Amino acid sequence: VYLKAKFSPNVGDSSSDMESSKVICEELVRTASLSQGNGVGVIGSSLSTLNTVRTLGGTLQNQICFVVDMIEKTRNAFNFSNPRITVLILLGLSVLWTVLALIPTRIVILIGGLGQFGATYYDKYMYQTQKKKIEVSSEDKKLDASDVGGNVFENMFLSIPTDEDLRRTYFWEARRVGEREREKYAMAKRQTRVEKLWKARWHGSLEMKEKKEDINVTQKSSARSSWNWKGIFALIEGHRFIWWRSEKHFDTGESPLGQIFFAGHSGLAGLSPLDLRELTKEEIPSVISIFGRGQQGQQKITLLAPSLELKDSLENAVLFASTDAKAD
């Protein structure tokens, strides 16, 4: 609770009393302002305490997680969670057991101490001297393996997965396996549906030449930027060439995007000079053109096969469907 007082001297008082009253009022106001600015109320102190507790709790939680991770890594180092590291550890322990069984312990400790002393001496004196003699330009200088920070054994230990790492790995691996199994099931179901229900002579995934919807009106239609390749799933059923946007649309039973009847003047078409100018050298060998009776009269479509084998099989199926006896 803050109190603010203001003194109003009487008119009949002397000038000295009035001046003293003004000084006292100003001092009281200044003291009250400082107390209000520097003081921390109950709410402020509570928020600071909660913030401190939260910070300490987070730090403590991180430390506990680090300790638990180290314990899990130590346990997983011997249960073949990482087979390569487990084999190295067991091999190292076997070699150590053999050495300690054949050589006295005092000699092993002596050799280890001398080796550590020699490595430190070489790194501090001899290696630094040799390093100063080697002059390498800044452009050709490459990072040496000895300059890389970290310890080999420490890095090997930190690479051992924890239980949480294994759980996430098994989860995503199970999802990938499930996706592959679903794809195999969908492919087998699609194959059976195409062969038994549609009795298709040919089916597969292609790319169709389609005009862009957002093309500029002033732009020439013959320009390569006015069209692009779009993926489709197509099949030849009887005397019809039918296509959908994708295999998923075919599996879900959606309506096809279009179809061409091989009736009357129909079959394979050669590439026009305009097509030869628009297509690249890599695309020309795999391009096939089909024409026939479409939904709005005579129609021609240009397709791009993913391989030459698929193109040859499609051409044979189109030739058979267009030359076979049909009811026009």
Side-chain angles (χ1 to χ4, degrees), residues 186-294:
M187 186 179 300
K189 183 179 179 181
R190 185 185 313 118
Q191 188 73 18
T192 305
R193 183 183 175 192
V194 168
E195 294 177 356
K196 303 297 182 180
L197 180 62
W198 288 84
K199 300 184 182 300
R201 184 174 291 107
W202 179 93
H203 69 278
S205 298
L206 301 168
E207 291 186 5
M208 179 180 291
K209 180 181 178 182
E210 296 184 3
K211 293 183 179 180
K212 294 182 179 179
E213 298 179 356
D214 55 348
I215 189 66
N216 192 357
V217 179
T218 60
Q219 192 175 5
K220 295 182 179 180
S221 60
S222 61
R224 177 61 186 260
S225 58
S226 62
W227 59 271
N228 55 5
W229 297 108
K230 289 188 177 181
I232 61 169
F233 175 77
L235 59 84
I236 296 179
E237 183 263 336
H239 303 103
R240 295 188 303 167
F241 180 84
I242 314 172
W243 67 91
W244 290 260
R245 175 54 62 195
S246 64
E247 297 176 348
K248 184 178 179 180
H249 290 79
F250 174 77
D251 294 338
T252 55
E254 297 188 13
S255 301
L257 293 179
Q259 57 183 345
I260 290 180
F261 291 91
F262 295 112
H265 186 58
S266 60
L268 297 174
L271 297 178
S272 64
L274 183 61
D275 294 333
L276 295 175
R277 186 177 62 181
E278 293 178 351
L279 299 174
T280 61
K281 295 181 179 180
E282 293 77 11
E283 295 174 345
I284 291 177
S286 302
V287 172
I288 177 175
S289 295
I290 300 175
F291 70 98
R293 185 184 303 172

Side-chain angles (χ1 to χ4, degrees), residues 130-144:
Q130 295 178 1
K131 189 176 180 180
K132 291 180 180 178
K133 295 180 180 180
I134 300 176
E135 296 179 359
V136 183
S137 61
S138 58
E139 297 180 357
D140 300 334
K141 186 176 180 181
K142 296 182 179 179
L143 189 63
D144 189 70

Side-chain angles (χ1 to χ4, degrees), residues 11-23:
V11 181
D13 295 337
S14 60
S15 58
S16 60
D17 295 335
M18 293 176 62
E19 190 68 25
S20 300
S21 299
K22 290 181 181 179
V23 172

Side-chain angles (χ1 to χ4, degrees), residues 12-48:
D13 295 337
S14 60
S15 58
S16 60
D17 295 335
M18 293 176 62
E19 190 68 25
S20 300
S21 299
K22 290 181 181 179
V23 172
I24 294 173
C25 290
E26 293 176 357
E27 185 65 22
L28 290 174
V29 171
R30 188 180 66 84
T31 305
S33 300
L34 292 176
S35 300
Q36 185 177 4
N38 298 329
V40 179
V42 177
I43 297 178
S45 61
S46 301
L47 292 177
S48 300

Side-chain angles (χ1 to χ4, degrees), residues 36 38 87 162 165 211 238 300:
Q36 185 177 4
N38 298 329
V87 169
T162 61
D165 297 334
K211 293 183 179 180
K300 175 186 174 182

